[in-house]
Amino acid sequence: MRDILQTLGVNKSYGDGKVRQMVLKDVSLTVREGEFAAIMGPSGSGKSTLLYCVSGMDSVDSGRVTFDGQEISGKADTCLAAIRLSDMGFIFQNIFLIKNLTVLDNVMLPALQKGGESKESVKFRAMGLLRKTGIEDLAKRDINEVSGGQLQRAGICRALINNPKMIFGDEPTGALNTIAGNEIMDILISINKERGGSILIVTHDVKVAARAERIICMLDGKIESEILLGKYDDSSLNQRESRLSEWLHARSV
Ligand SMILES: Nc1ncnc2c1ncn2[C@@H]1O[C@H](COP(=O)(O)OP(=O)(O)OP(=O)(O)O)[C@@H](O)[C@H]1O
Ligand SMILES: [Mg+2]
């Protein structure tokens, strides 16, 4: 499998000249096409910053970020926005769904923004995603009238509407209880299997990360190490969780 995402020696700092904080230090990371990887690490270790930098939402000080064979570091904002819209899907904890629009309209929006497809065809695909995530009945509901878990599902549908090559998630199950969180992970994994898209998520939750093929540990702005668990299948979850817990424990995470 080829690489979909690659960073090489990425450095990123915040603050002004006097008080500059190095947040990413020489980060090199590769995600293969179809791979499901998770980033873990203590609060403040730079996980979200890395996600923003690799998806072109934030700039890097030095180093290279390549997505789908194109270098994106240093590209203009409009160009990055177009790549994000068509090739990347985002599932963040504070899902920025638009109030006073229905669930269906929110899901359809990125496809309508991208253009080149009839509204009927977009609607058909959006309804298919709502069905898959179990919220088809809520299509016509205003976004204010659904639960946190349902909102998260709507966020996933919206992230998937343009068939992205890669999905980024920052604590995608963070606002949910364990059962709802597991359901969301099941949806993500089945989508990953069916469509072969890549997934990179940040999570603090061992149960969530244990479903990923590879877990990357960040400490103080650096990639400290990684563990390969291989493709997930339901039967091995307990084993994977205990292996991952031990590994994290050894790193004081
Ligand atoms: N926009 C910003 N301006 C200044 N400093 C920032 C900014 N964003 C993040 N930081 C700092 O960069 C460091 C890394 O933050 P980041 O959000 O990447 O951590 P994280 O690993 O995602 O933490 P958490 O697990 O708490 O979400 C922190 O010290 C944070 O305060
Ligand atoms: Mg974070």
Side-chain angles (χ1 to χ4, degrees), residues 47-48 91-93 152 169-175 201-204:
K47 305 179 297 296
S48 297
I91 308 167
F92 286 176
Q93 203 175 356
Q152 208 90 12
D170 197 353
E171 304 192 27
T173 60
I201 60 163
V202 166
T203 182
H204 283 284

Side-chain angles (χ1 to χ4, degrees), residues 2-6 64-72:
R2 68 185 189 110
D3 296 341
I4 181 83
L5 178 77
Q6 196 176 45
R64 287 174 63 165
V65 179
T66 308
F67 177 79
D68 194 26
Q70 277 191 78
E71 183 166 354
I72 62 167

Side-chain angles (χ1 to χ4, degrees), residues 108-126:
M108 288 172 65
L109 197 60
L112 299 177
Q113 279 173 333
K114 187 180 168 189
E117 189 182 356
S118 75
K119 202 169 173 186
E120 275 317 300
S121 152
V122 171
K123 185 173 174 185
F124 182 77
R125 278 189 305 112

Side-chain angles (χ1 to χ4, degrees), residues 70-209:
Q70 277 191 78
E71 183 166 354
I72 62 167
S73 31
K75 269 206 161 47
D77 284 348
T78 45
C79 176
L80 293 172
I83 294 173
R84 277 198 300 273
L85 184 64
S86 63
D87 296 336
M88 299 177 179
F90 295 91
I91 308 167
F92 286 176
Q93 203 175 356
N94 301 318
I95 328 155
F96 299 107
L97 294 170
I98 297 170
K99 287 184 180 145
N100 305 318
L101 276 189
T102 64
V103 168
L104 177 62
D105 286 340
N106 264 286
V107 172
M108 288 172 65
L109 197 60
L112 299 177
Q113 279 173 333
K114 187 180 168 189
E117 189 182 356
S118 75
K119 202 169 173 186
E120 275 317 300
S121 152
V122 171
K123 185 173 174 185
F124 182 77
R125 278 189 305 112
M127 286 307 293
L129 286 166
L130 293 177
R131 198 172 313 122
K132 178 145 187 58
T133 51
I135 54 167
E136 192 183 11
D137 295 349
L138 305 176
K140 295 284 178 204
R141 280 262 191 106
D142 193 283
I143 209 78
N144 303 314
E145 301 164 352
V146 301
S147 75
Q150 293 163 343
L151 212 57
Q152 208 90 12
R153 286 161 198 253
I156 290 187
C157 295
R158 192 185 58 174
L160 291 170
I161 190 74
N162 286 341
N163 282 318
K165 292 178 178 153
M166 182 150 189
I167 294 174
F168 297 94
D170 197 353
E171 304 192 27
T173 60
L176 305 177
N177 64 33
T178 308
I179 295 173
N182 286 343
E183 283 172 10
I184 294 291
M185 289 313 294
D186 288 340
I187 293 169
L188 277 181
I189 285 171
S190 79
I191 286 162
N192 171 246
K193 272 191 188 150
E194 273 168 32
R195 304 161 17 133
S198 316
I199 306 180
L200 180 64
I201 60 163
V202 166
T203 182
H204 283 284
D205 189 336
V206 173
K207 282 192 185 310
V208 168

Side-chain angles (χ1 to χ4, degrees), residues 14-15 21 23 41-50 170-171 202 204:
Y14 285 121
Q21 185 195 356
V23 178
S43 181
S45 55
K47 305 179 297 296
S48 297
T49 306
L50 179 59
D170 197 353
E171 304 192 27
V202 166
H204 283 284

